[in-house]
Amino acid sequence: MNKLQMIYEQAKQRTANGQVASYIPALAAANGDLFAVSLLSAEHEIELGDCTETFTLQSVVKVISFMVAANYHGIEEIMHYVDVEPTGDSFNSIVRLESHNNKPFNPMINAGAITIASLLPGETMFEKVKSVTTFLEQIIGKKVHINNEVYFSEYQSADYNRAIAYILQANGFLKSDVEEALQVYLQLCSISVDVSDLAKLAFYFATNGKESEAICNKGVINIAKALMITCGMYNASGKFAAFIGLPAKSGVSGAIIAVVRNGEIEQLQGPIGIGIYGPAIDQVGNSVAGIEFLMHLSKEYDLFCL
Ligand code: DON
């Protein structure tokens, strides 16, 4: 067993310390014992664990929707609607919507992501969702679909998100109506992927989009990476940056992308994208095994890059 496999095996044991997300019934049905990791460089891919599993992107999609909207409108226009400041609050927190000129703090919390959903290019809900799926498909090289069971389940338990959307609308921070913004946001959270798709997505950031069909302004990619560092791991982003030191984004499905700009992990060299799926999450919403894996990986392979 090589060093990487040992780190995987050690981290897998941590699945027992977490619980699958319970606030959305369809996510509560996931098997918390699962743990899958995919690491991708220009030349090789290494897969460990339950890599055939599919799951939904959840908040990982927030990075992509931000890029699509910012690429379309320009960052200056986007900044009128959503800031790039971390909050340290939980992802669905509503408390700060009456401070900071009522403007959502960043696109990685639900308030900012719902605003971004309303700003996506397209006249209809369908076109807005498609603007993001098309961009994602260009990165991962295959068609994606929405998991309707998760979407309907999210929609039926979206009281907090609906409340957030109404406050955003009342303060002029929605460019569509509440229902459309909410439905676009929840459909995007429900895009189905596997761990290898996540690695490709992370690899896109590792190469600054250079080896992909999906075209995005370099400045926007830089801001997306900065947002991952400052707000990507919910209210554990500070600790993640301090002790792991990689741009990363997580979702409550147990998905994580992590970006290595230049590293060496076994046979992989140079830019490396890491995709993780471990549905047992901690109190904050991050995969427990995923965090443990990245912690040891960063230390053992000297990947800290901030
Ligand atoms: O808004 C929700 O409840 C979820 N669909 C968001 C998912 C998530 O991963 C948490 N977000 N930051």
Side-chain angles (χ1 to χ4, degrees), residues 36-42 44-48 51 55 57 60 64 136 139-142 193-207 212 247 249 255-260 268 271-277 293:
V37 177
S38 170
L39 301 100
L40 178 71
S41 70
H44 302 283
E45 178 168 13
I46 300 175
E47 294 197 328
L48 299 162
C51 290
F55 49 89
L57 271 178
V60 175
I64 309 294
L136 184 64
I139 294 176
I140 66 179
K142 71 176 203 214
V193 291
D194 61 32
V195 80
S196 170
D197 301 330
L198 291 184
K200 287 181 190 139
L201 186 50
F203 185 71
Y204 179 86
F205 291 105
T207 58
S212 171
K249 181 74 198 91
I256 303 179
I257 56 169
V259 179
V260 177
L268 312 183
I272 299 169
I274 302 171
I276 293 178
Y277 173 56
F293 177 81

Side-chain angles (χ1 to χ4, degrees), residues 31-237:
N31 174 359
D33 297 336
L34 296 173
F35 185 45
V37 177
S38 170
L39 301 100
L40 178 71
S41 70
E43 311 267 316
H44 302 283
E45 178 168 13
I46 300 175
E47 294 197 328
L48 299 162
D50 309 296
C51 290
T52 55
E53 293 293 322
T54 57
F55 49 89
T56 53
L57 271 178
Q58 294 301 328
S59 285
V60 175
V61 82
K62 288 171 174 160
V63 196
I64 309 294
S65 358
F66 163 75
M67 290 200 300
V68 171
N71 212 30
Y72 180 75
H73 293 282
I75 194 67
E76 207 179 315
E77 173 71 6
I78 291 290
M79 292 281 292
H80 289 133
Y81 287 89
V82 55
D83 214 328
V84 289
E85 292 298 340
T87 64
D89 299 329
S90 65
F91 61 87
N92 61 357
S93 177
I94 212 160
V95 291
R96 293 199 200 224
L97 275 176
E98 284 193 337
S99 61
H100 206 63
N101 298 324
N102 304 323
K103 192 196 275 191
F105 270 71
N106 68 68
M108 303 294 121
I109 52 167
N110 290 12
I114 293 169
T115 289
I116 290 287
S118 79
L119 287 162
L120 286 168
E123 295 301 312
T124 61
M125 179 179 76
F126 177 77
E127 286 173 3
K128 286 187 164 77
V129 171
K130 196 156 171 35
S131 71
V132 175
T133 53
T134 302
F135 188 81
L136 184 64
E137 285 167 355
Q138 286 173 333
I139 294 176
I140 66 179
K142 71 176 203 214
K143 289 267 169 219
V144 293
H145 71 273
I146 311 285
N147 179 328
N148 281 322
E149 189 201 343
V150 173
Y151 169 59
F152 291 131
S153 184
E154 296 239 19
Y155 187 77
Q156 277 158 3
S157 28
D159 296 339
Y160 249 84
N161 285 327
R162 184 167 279 108
I164 289 171
Y166 272 106
I167 295 175
L168 291 168
Q169 173 171 263
N171 293 324
F173 287 99
L174 276 195
K175 228 183 165 180
S176 67
D177 64 39
V178 162
E179 264 315 296
E180 183 178 295
L182 201 60
Q183 288 179 24
V184 170
Y185 167 71
L186 295 175
Q187 285 192 31
L188 294 176
C189 287
S190 308
I191 293 172
S192 180
V193 291
D194 61 32
V195 80
S196 170
D197 301 330
L198 291 184
K200 287 181 190 139
L201 186 50
F203 185 71
Y204 179 86
F205 291 105
T207 58
N208 276 340
K210 282 198 192 89
E211 294 182 30
S212 171
E213 268 181 56
I215 306 298
C216 184
N217 179 298
K218 170 99 181 342
V220 170
I221 298 180
N222 283 343
I223 296 171
K225 283 189 294 187
L227 286 167
M228 285 195 255
I229 290 164
T230 55
C231 333
M233 303 301 286
Y234 309 122
N235 35 329
S237 299

